[in-house]
Amino acid sequence: LIVENNNVTSKSGVGILIEKLSNKRMPSHVTVRFNDVITGNKYAIDATGVQADTSIIEDNIAHGKLVGTPSGVIDTSKPTYVYKGTVLNITSENIRTYIDANGGLTSEVKDGDILNFRGSFNNEVIYVTKGVKITGENPIFYDSTFKITCGNVFVENLKIINEEVERVNAWGIFVN
């Protein structure tokens, strides 16, 4: 099933609703994208009843209404962060170019940048004070903490193991 490039207006109904076929059967291979839905209902799109691992539900305009997906509900009234800055590939060899010895982001890092970590890191306390995306290609942080003190930060794909740390309050990710 493909539902694409539609303009749907509904006074009270869900703009696009895809339900389970039965208690045991869910629609699979469902794509819902590039639709513009205006509705008085709290849901613009409800595709919670489709099979998660075969569906694509993205790039729809829901005008502040909810979009139900198999993996959860997206509140389109909340901001979505877009990171269009520079991709900074960070390794243990070049980390001080982007993160100083005290854990602060250097002037090389700008709002909107993507910090892409690769490899292993030890005993790092990283103070995130800019709106950046923090991601990685299977990085492992041993005895390390990310202290996030600003908004517009997205963190994904990190492995943090704090088993040998000697400092108090050794969180993996701390948001303040």
Side-chain angles (χ1 to χ4, degrees):
L1 172 65
I2 299 173
V3 181
E4 287 186 345
N5 298 308
N6 298 290
N7 292 306
V8 179
T9 302
S10 176
K11 184 176 180 179
S12 61
V14 174
I16 299 171
L17 174 62
I18 304 170
E19 293 184 319
K20 289 182 182 180
L21 300 171
S22 70
N23 284 341
K24 296 181 181 181
R25 292 184 50 222
M26 304 172 91
S28 62
H29 299 72
V30 174
T31 299
V32 180
R33 61 183 184 179
F34 311 125
N35 297 289
D36 188 343
V37 181
I38 298 171
T39 181
N41 194 289
K42 71 178 187 176
Y43 279 89
I45 299 169
D46 186 351
T48 55
V50 304
Q51 188 174 331
D53 58 342
T54 66
S55 65
I56 299 170
I57 302 164
E58 63 187 15
D59 297 320
N60 295 288
I61 301 170
H63 302 278
K65 300 297 183 169
L66 301 176
V67 175
T69 72
S71 58
V73 176
I74 300 165
D75 185 349
T76 64
S77 68
K78 306 280 190 227
T80 302
Y81 305 114
V82 177
Y83 302 94
K84 294 185 177 182
T86 304
V87 176
L88 306 172
N89 292 309
I90 303 173
T91 65
S92 59
E93 290 79 27
N94 72 1
I95 191 169
R96 296 298 168 237
T97 302
Y98 307 106
I99 299 161
D100 67 31
N102 295 318
L105 301 178
T106 69
S107 61
E108 296 291 321
V109 179
K110 309 283 190 251
D111 280 321
D113 282 351
I114 300 166
L115 282 60
N116 185 47
F117 289 91
R118 296 177 179 167
S120 296
F121 302 87
N122 294 295
N123 297 309
E124 295 290 341
V125 177
I126 299 170
Y127 295 92
V128 182
T129 56
K130 297 177 184 175
V132 295
K133 180 176 183 179
I134 299 169
T135 188
E137 297 172 24
N138 301 313
I140 301 175
F141 290 86
Y142 296 99
D143 305 323
S144 298
T145 298
F146 285 82
K147 290 188 176 183
I148 302 169
T149 59
C150 69
N152 301 336
V153 176
F154 187 93
V155 181
E156 68 175 2
N157 298 329
L158 305 180
K159 184 172 186 176
I160 302 170
I161 302 171
N162 288 341
E163 293 179 336
E164 304 291 326
V165 68
E166 294 182 11
R167 69 182 182 280
V168 177
N169 297 328
W171 304 283
I173 299 170
F174 176 75
V175 179
N176 182 352

